[in-house]
Each structure stands twice: as C-alpha cells, then as structure tokens.
Amino acid sequence: MKKLIECVPNFSEGRNPEIIAAITREIETVEGVKLIDVDPGKATNRTVVTFVGTPEEVCEAAFRAAKKATELIDMRVHKGEHPRFGAIDVCPLIPIANITMDEVVIYAQKLAKRLGEELGIPIYCYEFAATEEKRRNLANNRQGEYEGLPQKIVSSEWKPDFGPNKWSENVARTGATAVGARNFLIAYNVNLNTTSVRRANSVAYDVRERGRVKREGDPITGKQVKDAQGNVVYEPGLLKSVKGIGWFIEEYGIAQISMNLTDITITPLHVAFDTVCERAAARGLRVTGSELVGVIPLKSMLDAGKYFLKKQKRSTGLPDEEIIKIAVKSMGLDELTPFDPKKKIIEYLLEDYNPKSLVQLSCWDFANKTASEEPAPGGGSVSAYLAALGVSLGTMVANLSSHKRGWDNRWEEFSDFAEKGMTIQKQLIMLVDEDTNAFNAIMDAFSLPKSNETEKNARSNAIHKATINAIEVPFKVMNLAYDCFDLLEYMAKEGNPNSVSDAGVGAICIRSAIMGAYLNVMINAASVKDDASAKDLVAKGAEIQKNAIRRETEILQIVESKI
C-alpha cells in the first residue's frame, strides 16, 4: 500500500494569477503528486494550495514551488490582511494513508533543512515537527510578522531552526517559512432545521472546544465572569480540537453549525456529527444533514461508516463502497449537493485508470485476456484471484450470518470474521497484478543488453533478482490463502446453514489457489536451483499445500454433513 501525505502550503500572493499559475505549475511537474486545489484570496493577498502524493515526491514538489515563489514574490512590497512572514508562509505536511506522524515529522524536518540550506530561507518548524514547545504553535513562530523578522532571526531565543539567522537582501525578499507536520483538518458544516443563527450558535458553543463565555446567574444575560487578569472566562465545550460557529446560508435558507475539526485523531467526523445531533435535540432542533467542505481521507469515511453500522448492530466486514454509502446516508452528506466519493476522498482522487491493471478489468475481459496469446496473466494471477474469490465467499457467509434474523446477539462475532476476510481479500486482489508484474520483470531482465562482461553480470543479477521476486509473490498468495481456512471452517460449523455450501465452495477455491500458486513457486525456483532462499520457499510451500488439502477435506466433510 502506498504511503500518502498531503501538503498545504500558503503563498503570499493572491492577486496575480500569472504568479500563482507559475508556482502551481512547478507542483504539477512532479510525477506521483496530484494538485487538488488552488484557493487565492485578494483581500488576504494569499493563496492556499493543496496537493497529495507519495512523501518523497510531495517534498520535491513543495521545494520546487517554494523555489519559484522566492523568485517571483518580494516580501518587501507585500501587503495583505492575513498574518504572514514569508513568500512561502507556511508549509505543513499531513499524514493521509499508511504513514505515521513520526515518519511525517522526519520528512518535514528534511524539507525544512533543504529549504534553509539551498534557498537561504530562515525556517521555523512547528506543530509535531517543532524543536521546542514554544515553537509548536504557528502563531508564536509568526509573531511580529514580516516586519519583525530583522530583529527576530538574530535573537538567541528565535534563531531559525534551519537557514540563515542574519538579515540580508535575500532574506528581505523571501522572508521566513514555517514548515510543520500536523494532523488532517476537516472543514465540516452540519445543517439544522432552523433559520435562527442564535440557536445554531447555542449548539456550536455546546460542542466546540472553546465553549461559551461563563456568566453569573442567567447564562445569556448574566454578567461575564473574568479572571484575576481581567480576561473573560470560558466554559469549555464537549469536543476537543473543534472550532465552531453558527451561521445562516442564504443559498439554502438554513442555519448551519460550521466547524473546523483540527485533529481528526482526537475528534473524528462521525463523533462531531453525533454530538451536534445530541445537542441540537436537547435544544429542540433537528439535524437534517451535513456538508463536507474540501476533501477527506478514506480512513475517516470508513471509520464513520463502521461507526454507524455498529450502532445498527450490523457487520462492518463490507466492501469499502458499501461502508462509504452508509457514512454518506447516516450523516446526510448528500442533502445539499451530491456527494461523489471519487471527487471528495483523497485516495480516490489520486487513482488513475491503468490500462495494464488486471484488477480494473471486468470478469469477462480478465477471462479473455487470460485466454489470449499473451503469456500473462497466467496461473499465478489466476491463483491469486481464485483465492480472493474463496475468501469473498467466506466473508459473504459471515455477513449473512451477522444479519440473520434471530441471531442478533451474534452480530459482532460474525462481523469480526467478515472484517478479517475483507482485509485478506484486499491483499489477494493486489497480488493479481503483482504476480503478472513479477513475470514481466523477468522478461524485462532477459531483454537487457549483454555485449560485454559488465552488461552480462548486470543482466544476470537482474534476472536472479526478478526470479526470486517471482517466487516470493505466489508464496505470499499461499500464505494469505491458507489464513482463510479458519474463516471458512468457522462459517461451515457456525454460520448461516442456508449458506453452508458457499463455505464449501470457498474452501475448494482456497485449496485450488494454494496448489496453483505452489506450481508457480516451483517453476520459478527451478531457474535458481542453487539459491538457498528459493529452496526454503519450495520446502515451506510443500508443507502449506499438504495442510491445505487436509483442511479442505475437513471443511467439506462438515459441509456435506449439513446438506
């Protein structure tokens, strides 16, 4: 699975479309990165750019954009309503998929170092990438703005983390940049069945972290409570990392709670929605739906869908599309405008049609491609697909069992099995293409030049490396497929009796997939007879195949006894 991060740099130019276009073109030159949004503001004289991709590529795109920005933006003449201190004012990196915050911090600090050393920009690291606590808050780093930089960067307290700490003509032109690592922020509006902004605000104050002003006596008209320093005291709201306000949307004729979920690891989307529902109901209001502004990570939508499925005591081991559909309907994300997952979910935005991908073919096209004169897809890809179908049958029985009338007290038991089945199914589907890619890599290695000794050695090494990979891929299929037997056996014994034959067919598929994958292990291993790792995989594969035949026989005996 690809590691994905998002970058949301803010550039101190929002009025000149040619400069903005020149900066964003730099981002689009990097393969593996997708530009998602460009949002210029004339009053702020600032443009917020959003792009996503694999970490190394995102950092490269950020560097190229920063380089272009420092060439075209002169901070000495910049004016705008938004706080700022640099041509590329802030540059946060955000984990999206299959990557930890600790890893993102490393990328952020590497990017910060490169910007400082190669472009001569004073760099301050903030949020999770901060080098000390007081620098964690972006506002602290930017305090004094551009005008305060000449004194700030030369002080011992606010010496930049990277880059120059002396005022120069270059620094005067570029200003400073804050590079950070932070969690994903979601802009999210919840719709109410009222036109009253005051009542919408009451709900917003209930839920937002800051809460509402504390008052003596009457909560609306009472005197404000102040602390010893004369500052207004607030009663905290229910949700951490949430900002919120009520407003009226003329276009739709309704009031909304407008929220920023600044850390969805603390307050996820579905928790914010449900909490607003509860507080609205307590105030005699009803939530009619909600609206997502911008894009969202796939995990957030899947977490939401599973949350609402669990509330219904239904299985969560469903395909992603079904889980997302439940999330959309549960939160009314399509009430005001259609919700298209392909345009709103980051991972789906990054998907491009690959004509060489087998898993994007229809069943009919896959069968025809297999039957053609091309040597791939072959038995390895078919074995992986067969295993995916086998575990899909077991997952289906688990889902049917979870939803069976009279078995309501067992829904979670079967849901857990269905989730495990879906996890394995996704991995096996990926191996359909991986096996064909492994075969093609061997063919590519054989086509390498061999006109001299150096080329011959390089070719030989490439063939050996590709062949070992072609052994390891079907071996992965064998291991993953074998893990499916526990699911299928349990479904045969305990699952919905009306679907027991499906569990049996699943076991036959799994056994056949393992035997087919093992043939591919052996035929590729024959090309590297003297390789110890290849011999080891062949021996282990033989044991897996023997056990698979036994497990299939045991499951079929259970199935036949129930038919």
Side-chain angles (χ1 to χ4, degrees):
M1 301 292 283
K2 278 185 180 179
K3 293 182 177 182
L4 295 176
I5 63 172
E6 180 184 59
C7 185
V8 190
N10 290 206
F11 299 95
S12 293
E13 175 55 67
R15 298 167 185 168
N16 189 323
E18 292 181 2
I19 291 177
I20 296 167
I23 293 169
T24 55
R25 275 198 300 271
E26 292 297 310
I27 294 166
E28 293 179 299
T29 62
V30 181
E31 193 174 341
V33 170
K34 183 155 188 175
L35 183 64
I36 290 178
D37 188 50
V38 180
D39 184 15
K42 288 185 179 180
T44 58
N45 199 10
R46 182 182 188 85
T47 297
V48 180
V49 176
T50 305
F51 55 96
V52 182
T54 44
E56 294 284 357
E57 286 68 28
V58 163
C59 290
E60 177 62 29
F63 178 84
R64 293 185 192 182
K67 186 173 186 293
K68 183 60 69 173
T70 58
E71 293 169 2
L72 300 178
I73 298 171
D74 189 340
M75 289 304 295
R76 291 172 293 192
V77 296
H78 181 272
K79 299 293 179 185
E81 293 179 7
H82 197 286
R84 83 284 182 265
F85 69 168
I88 175 169
D89 193 59
V90 295
C91 185
L93 301 182
I94 302 147
I96 297 297
N98 309 310
I99 190 167
T100 66
M101 180 58 76
D102 287 344
E103 291 175 284
V104 175
V105 166
I106 293 170
Y107 281 110
Q109 290 179 344
K110 282 183 180 177
L111 175 61
K113 186 173 186 287
R114 189 180 178 198
L115 291 170
E117 292 180 354
E118 296 185 33
L119 301 184
I121 305 171
I123 304 293
Y124 293 92
C125 294
Y126 75 104
E127 286 272 1
F128 287 94
T131 55
E132 53 182 313
E133 189 57 36
K134 70 181 179 184
R135 299 189 181 204
R136 181 177 285 269
N137 189 321
L138 175 61
N140 292 344
N141 292 285
R142 201 161 51 192
Q143 191 171 17
E145 296 191 45
Y146 172 78
E147 289 72 18
L149 275 180
Q151 294 77 38
K152 189 169 188 171
I153 64 171
V154 299
S155 69
S156 57
E157 185 182 7
W158 284 101
K159 178 184 176 182
D161 292 305
F162 299 99
N165 65 328
K166 292 181 180 179
W167 192 250
S168 65
E169 187 176 343
N170 183 67
V171 173
R173 191 183 71 254
T174 67
T177 298
V179 176
R182 65 166 173 81
N183 278 308
F184 195 87
L185 182 150
I186 292 178
Y188 182 54
N189 303 327
V190 179
N191 313 326
L192 300 173
N193 65 332
T194 184
T195 58
S196 171
V197 174
R198 184 162 69 84
R199 284 166 176 77
N201 266 324
S202 295
V203 178
Y205 299 158
D206 284 348
V207 299
R208 70 182 187 182
E209 182 172 10
R210 189 182 188 190
R212 55 169 38 84
V213 173
K214 189 172 184 178
R215 297 179 183 273
E216 296 176 358
D218 190 281
I220 297 174
T221 61
K223 183 181 177 182
Q224 292 182 349
V225 176
K226 296 185 179 181
D227 62 19
Q229 287 74 42
N231 300 314
V232 174
V233 176
Y234 280 79
E235 294 183 83
L238 296 169
L239 300 177
K240 297 288 186 184
S241 301
V242 173
K243 299 175 181 178
I245 194 75
W247 62 17
F248 179 74
I249 304 299
E250 191 76 38
E251 183 182 359
Y252 300 114
I254 59 168
Q256 287 183 325
I257 312 296
S258 175
M259 292 183 286
N260 275 344
L261 312 183
T262 60
D263 189 339
I264 55 175
T265 66
I266 294 174
T267 297
L269 184 72
H270 54 274
V271 172
F273 176 81
D274 249 14
T275 306
V276 170
C277 288
E278 291 166 8
R279 294 314 304 158
R283 293 180 176 277
L285 304 171
R286 188 172 70 84
V287 168
T288 61
S290 63
E291 176 187 29
L292 184 68
V293 182
V295 294
I296 188 170
L298 174 62
K299 184 178 183 300
S300 291
M301 289 298 291
L302 295 179
D303 286 348
K306 289 177 181 181
Y307 170 81
F308 290 109
L309 283 166
K310 286 177 181 177
K311 287 187 76 172
Q312 298 172 25
K313 296 186 176 180
R314 288 186 58 197
S315 174
T316 55
L318 298 171
D320 289 355
E321 306 85 71
E322 293 299 314
I323 296 172
I324 291 166
K325 189 184 297 182
I326 291 293
V328 171
K329 291 302 177 185
S330 298
M331 295 183 288
L333 286 167
D334 55 357
E335 184 195 12
L336 301 181
T337 55
F339 185 94
D340 184 351
K342 297 293 182 187
K343 295 178 180 177
K344 301 297 284 186
I345 295 175
I346 292 172
E347 287 86 342
Y348 294 169
L349 277 167
L350 295 175
E351 285 181 354
D352 292 316
Y353 176 71
N354 179 4
K356 294 183 178 180
S357 173
L358 299 173
V359 298
Q360 293 182 358
L361 298 175
S362 68
C363 290
W364 188 273
D365 289 337
F366 182 81
N368 282 340
K369 192 168 183 65
T370 304
S372 73
E373 293 177 340
E374 297 178 27
S381 291
V382 169
S383 295
Y385 190 43
L386 185 57
L389 292 176
V391 72
S392 295
L393 282 169
T395 303
M396 178 192 77
V397 179
N399 281 320
L400 288 171
S401 303
S402 177
H403 204 51
K404 180 175 168 56
R405 186 176 181 180
W407 287 16
D408 291 345
N409 63 323
R410 301 182 68 188
W411 75 270
E412 204 162 7
E413 166 194 349
F414 290 110
S415 175
D416 288 345
F417 274 103
E419 279 233 39
K420 290 172 186 172
M422 285 304 302
T423 298
I424 296 174
Q425 185 233 55
K426 289 176 184 176
Q427 295 176 72
L428 286 166
I429 287 289
M430 297 301 292
L431 287 169
V432 173
D433 272 321
E434 200 172 323
D435 188 88
T436 291
N437 292 340
F439 173 81
N440 290 334
I442 293 176
M443 295 297 100
D444 291 342
F446 271 105
S447 68
L448 291 172
K450 49 181 179 179
S451 59
N452 55 53
E453 205 60 37
T454 301
E455 287 182 348
K456 286 178 182 178
N457 288 334
R459 178 176 178 270
S460 178
N461 289 335
I463 292 170
H464 184 268
K465 184 179 178 182
T467 304
I468 293 298
N469 184 54
I471 300 168
E472 290 173 344
V473 172
F475 186 75
K476 282 184 201 172
V477 173
M478 294 183 75
N479 271 314
L480 282 169
Y482 191 82
D483 287 343
C484 302
F485 278 125
D486 289 344
L487 163 66
L488 291 162
E489 183 175 346
Y490 195 85
M491 291 308 114
K493 287 179 179 177
E494 302 290 339
N496 190 327
N498 295 325
S499 301
V500 69
S501 61
D502 296 302
V505 174
I508 294 169
C509 288
I510 294 299
R511 185 266 299 156
S512 300
I514 288 172
M515 293 181 72
Y518 186 51
L519 290 175
N520 280 266
V521 169
M522 289 194 295
I523 196 168
N524 288 308
S527 303
V528 285
K529 293 177 181 177
D530 297 329
D531 190 283
S533 62
K535 288 180 179 179
D536 182 54
L537 291 177
V538 169
K540 288 178 179 176
E543 189 67 20
I544 293 171
Q545 177 174 261
K546 184 178 77 173
N547 289 331
I549 294 169
R550 173 181 57 79
R551 293 294 299 275
E552 179 211 35
T553 301
E554 292 169 354
I555 292 169
L556 289 179
Q557 286 173 350
I558 296 168
V559 171
E560 289 167 6
S561 71
K562 292 194 169 189
I563 293 177

